[in-house]
Structure formats: C-alpha cells, structure tokens
Amino acid sequence: MKIISTLLLLGALLTGAYAQRPRSMDPQPAEKPATAAPKPAPAPKTVKAKYEGGVFGYNKTMEGTLTFDDANNRLVFKDKKPPKEISIPYEAITSAFSDSKKVQPAAATVAQNVPSIYSLPARFIKHKVRYLTLQYSDPDSNVSGITSFKIDDKELLESVLVTLAEKTNMTLRGDVYVKKKPEDSSKATPNK
C-alpha cells in the first residue's frame, strides 16, 4: 500500500513540475489583424465636461467646457462661472487614457439602507461613469499631477482622446497614449 501511494504521489509531483515549465516564445510576433478598429471622428473644438480635480489650486469639482485652444497649444477647461479657467499646455501632457467606473446613484444608496425586503434590488443599480484622465508635467511651473474630466458619451470621449493624442504627439501603448521622452544627445555614443 505504501508503494502504491508513493507512486501516486510521485506521479502527481512530476505532473505538477511538468506543468510549471516556461513557455517558449514565437520567434516572430503575430501580425496584427487587418480589421483594426476604425479611427473615431475628430472631436469638436468644445466639449461639455466636468472637472474632477487634480490640478494644483483647483480642489473643487466644476462643470463647464473642455476646449482645444490650438492657437496657444493648450487644453482649456472653463467653468460655467466666468472667473475659473484651467489651462494645461499640450507640451505638458505626458499620458492620457479613458477610464470608466461603475457607481451607484445617490437614490439607490438611500433606498438600499431602508430596512425593507424591497431594498435588496437597490444594491444592484449602478451606472457607468466615463473619464478622460491626463497625466501632466509642466516644465514652466515644475508641477506635475493627474487630473480627470468626466465626459458622458463613450464615442465623444474616444474622439476627444484620439484628437488630444494627435495634437500632443502621443503614441498608443496598450490602452494608454504616452509621449516619448526626447532622446538626450549627451547620452548618445559618439562615432569614432
């Protein structure tokens, strides 16, 4: 009996060790399919958005418009109330991506806390909120951070993201648009 159980244990261990071996890689990566997603339409010059925070000096959320100011090479958020304006230069934007979260509306939160059998369905009520998230590093003020703008429409968010990536010379890496750092000429090896 000991021999049979020892053989079974040894067989199980060898099977587990065989399954843990490293996988071999293909020498040539697979080609991308020819049916890539179509490029979204260019974004309008002004988009309705909600500022969610992240820029130094502007702590409160604000509703207003997000504008591409191509004349001054910057992205501008203007609040509904005239004095507030947030400006991020295209040069300062280092990465951008679209993000979404499922949140529960305030009415559903209240309804689920009412002690009743009917409060159970309120726990499952959620809706998607979409954000344009930007990472920036301003060389003039030496300030960097992450900010986000809530944009309701999915197609509009994608077109704003692609348009912003084109204006800031960013490239797509996975799901995130990033700006490559300029090569430092002092690090380059001189030709002999």
Side-chain angles (χ1 to χ4, degrees), residues 122-142:
R123 295 181 190 272
F124 300 108
I125 299 174
K126 293 187 179 186
H127 68 277
K128 242 183 201 183
V129 179
R130 293 176 171 76
Y131 298 96
L132 171 67
T133 304
L134 305 174
Q135 184 174 8
Y136 64 92
S137 179
D138 192 5
D140 296 334
S141 61
N142 207 18

Side-chain angles (χ1 to χ4, degrees), residues 6 53 130 132 145 173 185:
T6 304
R130 293 176 171 76
L132 171 67
R173 187 174 295 163
S185 60

Side-chain angles (χ1 to χ4, degrees), residues 36-181:
K39 184 178 172 184
K45 189 170 177 80
T46 302
V47 175
K48 187 177 175 184
K50 182 177 180 182
Y51 168 73
E52 295 288 325
V55 175
F56 184 71
Y58 298 95
N59 299 331
K60 296 182 180 178
T61 61
M62 298 180 272
E63 292 201 26
T65 57
L66 196 59
T67 306
F68 293 104
D69 186 6
D70 294 333
N72 295 317
N73 289 327
R74 63 186 184 154
L75 187 66
V76 179
F77 177 80
K78 291 184 181 180
D79 190 13
K80 285 182 179 177
K81 301 170 188 148
K84 301 225 178 169
E85 179 177 292
I86 300 171
S87 172
I88 303 173
Y90 289 158
E91 172 186 307
I93 299 172
T94 57
S95 65
F97 65 97
S98 61
D99 191 16
S100 64
K101 295 180 184 175
K102 285 190 175 185
V103 296
Q104 192 170 38
T109 304
V110 170
Q112 82 178 17
N113 291 321
V114 174
S116 170
I117 193 163
Y118 301 112
S119 66
L120 182 62
R123 295 181 190 272
F124 300 108
I125 299 174
K126 293 187 179 186
H127 68 277
K128 242 183 201 183
V129 179
R130 293 176 171 76
Y131 298 96
L132 171 67
T133 304
L134 305 174
Q135 184 174 8
Y136 64 92
S137 179
D138 192 5
D140 296 334
S141 61
N142 207 18
V143 173
S144 61
I146 299 173
T147 185
S148 60
F149 300 95
K150 180 179 163 186
I151 298 176
D152 293 327
D153 186 20
K154 180 180 179 181
E155 288 79 22
L156 182 60
L157 175 61
E158 286 301 316
S159 66
V160 168
L161 179 63
V162 170
T163 303
L164 182 65
E166 290 172 355
K167 292 179 186 288
T168 58
N169 297 323
M170 290 191 283
T171 57
L172 185 63
R173 187 174 295 163
D175 291 336
V176 179
Y177 285 94
V178 295
K179 187 181 291 184
K180 292 183 180 179
K181 288 185 177 182

